[in-house]
Amino acid sequence: MPKITFIKVDGERVETDAKVGNTVMEVAKELDLPMLAACGGALACATCQVVVDEEWYEKTGEVSEDEEDLLDTAHDLTPTSRLCCQIPITDDLDGLVVSLTPMG
Amino acid sequence: MTKQTTHTTDVAIIGAGPVGLFSVFQCGMLKMSTHVIDALPATGGQCTALYPEKPIFDIPASPNITGADLIERLEEQIKPFNPVFHLDQQVVALENQSGNWHLTTAAGLTVSAKAVIIAAGAGAFGPNKPPLADIEKYENKTVHYLIQNRELFRDQRIVIAGGGDSAVDWALALADIAAETYVVHRRERFRALPESVAQMHALAEQGKIELVIPYQLASLEGKGDQLSAVHVKTLKGEDRRLEADHLLSFFGLVNKLGPINDWGLDVHNGLIIVEPTTCATSVDGIFAVGDIAGYPHKLKLILSGFSEVAQAAHAAFRVVHPDEALHFEHSTSSGIPTL
Ligand SMILES: Cc1cc2nc3c(=O)[nH]c(=O)nc-3n(C[C@H](O)[C@H](O)[C@H](O)COP(=O)(O)OP(=O)(O)OC[C@H]3O[C@@H](n4cnc5c(N)ncnc54)[C@H](O)[C@@H]3O)c2cc1C
Ligand code: FES
């Protein structure tokens, strides 16, 4: 199973084995990490915003036009900001590191 | 707060989303009267605010129904129970006063109820405010999320932030009367009517608007409630200082749990923890249903919310009428009771 590391806002690192087929958001929720993900992955809330480690950004895949549209309503974006309900876990993501953002 | 009006009811329902609306029905079947409060000016919660035109496929016995139609049908179903709606006002306080719950809204209204059902979804819908230091001190004076009077901007230097229809439409509406109009957006593409976007680009070519792209808001500068400049930056860290008298911020709606955090309830990651068979919260007489209710393996589905409401209404009956027998009847036997 691909290993995923979440870095919390306070710097704490949480490592987990993720199931292929889930999204990064689902993995974070399963771990009960501080993330709202209020719309449950419906691409309607932007509260699952993360910053992907630069080395991994390309591997997380294309950002869809709908995700770009919703990112327009997010704040404090970085060049590797993503909505993590839109990142499906694949074997290629073994080692992925993402940082959580403040819960608003 | 302007005027003080107090209403009395059996059950106060916070949130007029699909689950709040169906709470009226289930309470009504047990002959409990209801008042419903929502921060939005319209009923329907997420169905109305986020996806009125989208078809929903997993409502039992409705193979395909849009968000807007679902809400219309719920409204029709609950009509016999004469619910009283207080819209466009957030519930800001919930207190127990000698056994009754007093809800106070931002508009100064009070509802006194024997039991409360919280169907607040992900929290009250309100403007998505950029997280800029000190923004509150300018709000409604020189920082705006909603425009009521365009004359306010005559001969003023304005910064419009956002990339959707509101940003584009207001840029078109104000370019002629404002002294300077900047539109700050993080990328080339705007999520707005293509004709409007084309008009905006034309105005930019004529020098009536300046498109500040690809920039994000960074900070505000001003004195008291008077803005004097808006600082923006690119992802690469380039800065610009836009001298401005007003900021018009259009980033859509977001949900904020806000005051619900302060009501002594067990809240975790935006959910109110409930006992799933009754939807009782950690506070007696207060129930939570729908998206905001949390318990192990919770599914944020409309149909789960509907079922939770039936459980909650029966549990609330015991609070509203502690000395009355709770008699279970199917709707086919009872019909629609009159209140
Ligand atoms: C794009 C999208 C597609 C979806 N598709 C489906 C689907 O196919 N099937 C399905 O079952 N579900 C779907 N959902 C989820 C569904 O919409 C939610 O489960 C449902 O809306 C929850 O209803 P609710 O009444 O609990 O909360 P909401 O609909 O969120 O309504 C809560 C209301 O409470 C109000 N409120 C909150 N706090 C306060 C306060 N303090 N004072 C006053 N008012 C307050 C809010 O303003 C809001 O209007 C979808 C959601 C989205 C975003
Ligand atoms: S969970 Fe809402 S957009 Fe990702």
Side-chain angles (χ1 to χ4, degrees), chain B residues 17-136:
Chain B
V19 179
L21 294 178
F22 199 60
S23 303
V24 171
F25 182 84
Q26 288 293 344
C27 288
M29 291 301 279
L30 296 171
K31 299 191 180 176
M32 294 187 288
S33 60
T34 48
H35 278 233
V36 187
I37 305 122
D38 203 298
L40 286 176
T43 61
Q46 294 173 45
C47 300
T48 303
L50 301 178
Y51 61 103
E53 308 290 338
K54 275 196 184 163
I56 311 174
F57 300 106
D58 57 354
I59 303 298
S62 285
N64 176 342
I65 184 166
T66 63
D69 284 347
L70 176 74
I71 298 307
E72 203 183 303
R73 294 227 193 150
L74 281 167
E75 296 258 16
E76 187 188 323
Q77 194 171 18
I78 66 178
K79 217 171 183 175
F81 302 114
N82 300 313
V84 181
F85 286 96
H86 308 285
L87 299 178
D88 212 4
Q89 46 198 307
Q90 190 183 1
V91 178
V92 290
L94 175 61
E95 290 157 332
N96 196 296
Q97 289 181 10
S98 42
N100 283 330
W101 289 102
H102 281 239
L103 292 79
T104 313
T105 73
L109 184 115
T110 311
V111 177
S112 168
K114 296 184 186 118
V116 178
I117 294 182
I118 304 181
F125 275 101
N128 177 3
K129 305 179 177 183
L132 305 175
D134 294 331
I135 191 162
E136 321 77 49

Side-chain angles (χ1 to χ4, degrees), chain B:
Chain B
M1 307 224 170
T2 42
K3 57 177 193 284
Q4 198 74 30
T5 323
T6 302
H7 299 272
T8 305
T9 183
D10 289 333
V11 181
I13 299 167
I14 302 176
V19 179
L21 294 178
F22 199 60
S23 303
V24 171
F25 182 84
Q26 288 293 344
C27 288
M29 291 301 279
L30 296 171
K31 299 191 180 176
M32 294 187 288
S33 60
T34 48
H35 278 233
V36 187
I37 305 122
D38 203 298
L40 286 176
T43 61
Q46 294 173 45
C47 300
T48 303
L50 301 178
Y51 61 103
E53 308 290 338
K54 275 196 184 163
I56 311 174
F57 300 106
D58 57 354
I59 303 298
S62 285
N64 176 342
I65 184 166
T66 63
D69 284 347
L70 176 74
I71 298 307
E72 203 183 303
R73 294 227 193 150
L74 281 167
E75 296 258 16
E76 187 188 323
Q77 194 171 18
I78 66 178
K79 217 171 183 175
F81 302 114
N82 300 313
V84 181
F85 286 96
H86 308 285
L87 299 178
D88 212 4
Q89 46 198 307
Q90 190 183 1
V91 178
V92 290
L94 175 61
E95 290 157 332
N96 196 296
Q97 289 181 10
S98 42
N100 283 330
W101 289 102
H102 281 239
L103 292 79
T104 313
T105 73
L109 184 115
T110 311
V111 177
S112 168
K114 296 184 186 118
V116 178
I117 294 182
I118 304 181
F125 275 101
N128 177 3
K129 305 179 177 183
L132 305 175
D134 294 331
I135 191 162
E136 321 77 49
K137 70 177 202 194
Y138 304 106
E139 281 172 0
N140 306 320
K141 290 282 189 241
T142 55
V143 170
H144 312 265
Y145 306 108
L146 194 97
I147 311 297
Q148 264 144 358
N149 174 13
R150 67 197 277 271
E151 280 306 311
L152 192 62
F153 306 106
R154 184 170 291 279
D155 303 326
Q156 302 282 297
R157 299 163 302 172
I158 62 173
V159 172
I160 298 177
D165 283 305
S166 305
V168 173
D169 292 348
W170 280 111
L172 297 180
L174 297 175
D176 271 340
I177 65 167
E180 309 268 1
T181 307
Y182 299 101
V183 177
V184 176
H185 184 40
R186 70 174 191 102
R187 58 181 177 133
E188 285 294 333
R189 211 184 93 84
F190 282 80
R191 322 174 309 284
L193 268 187
E195 303 87 82
S196 308
V197 176
Q199 277 179 43
M200 183 180 67
H201 281 292
L203 286 175
E205 266 166 38
Q206 295 162 28
K208 292 199 172 151
I209 290 180
E210 185 181 340
L211 297 178
V212 185
I213 295 172
Y215 282 85
Q216 298 185 71
L217 298 177
S219 61
L220 303 176
E221 195 185 310
K223 230 191 202 149
D225 58 17
Q226 182 53 58
L227 199 66
S228 55
V230 176
H231 291 259
V232 297
K233 62 172 193 283
T234 65
L235 287 181
K236 293 187 190 116
E238 295 145 278
D239 288 296
R240 268 192 74 181
R241 178 175 180 275
L242 307 172
E243 288 196 4
D245 308 302
H246 293 272
L247 170 65
L248 286 57
S249 167
F250 297 121
F251 293 102
L253 292 173
V254 282
N255 299 100
K256 282 269 181 320
L257 222 46
I260 294 178
N261 281 309
D262 309 325
W263 296 344
L265 302 163
D266 185 3
V267 178
H268 181 70
N269 276 353
L271 301 179
I272 300 175
I273 305 305
V274 300
E275 199 287 302
T277 61
T278 56
C279 291
T281 67
S282 55
V283 177
D284 280 347
I286 303 184
F287 302 84
V289 293
D291 275 15
I292 199 158
Y295 49 83
H297 307 296
K298 158 83 182 186
L299 293 177
K300 285 188 186 177
L301 286 175
I302 295 166
L303 84 91
S304 312
F306 287 169
S307 145
E308 288 158 12
V309 160
Q311 303 293 126
H314 282 81
F317 183 90
R318 299 175 198 276
V319 175
V320 174
H321 301 295
D323 302 322
E324 276 182 38
L326 172 53
H327 173 61
F328 178 85
E329 250 181 341
H330 285 135
S331 67
T332 44
S333 321
S334 66
I336 299 290
T338 41
L339 293 192

Side-chain angles (χ1 to χ4, degrees), chain A residues 25 36-49 70 83-86:
Chain A
M25 181 276 281
L36 281 180
C39 77
L43 200 49
C45 73
T47 59
C48 62
Q49 187 186 340
L70 193 59
L83 299 175
C84 72
C85 68
Q86 303 301 306

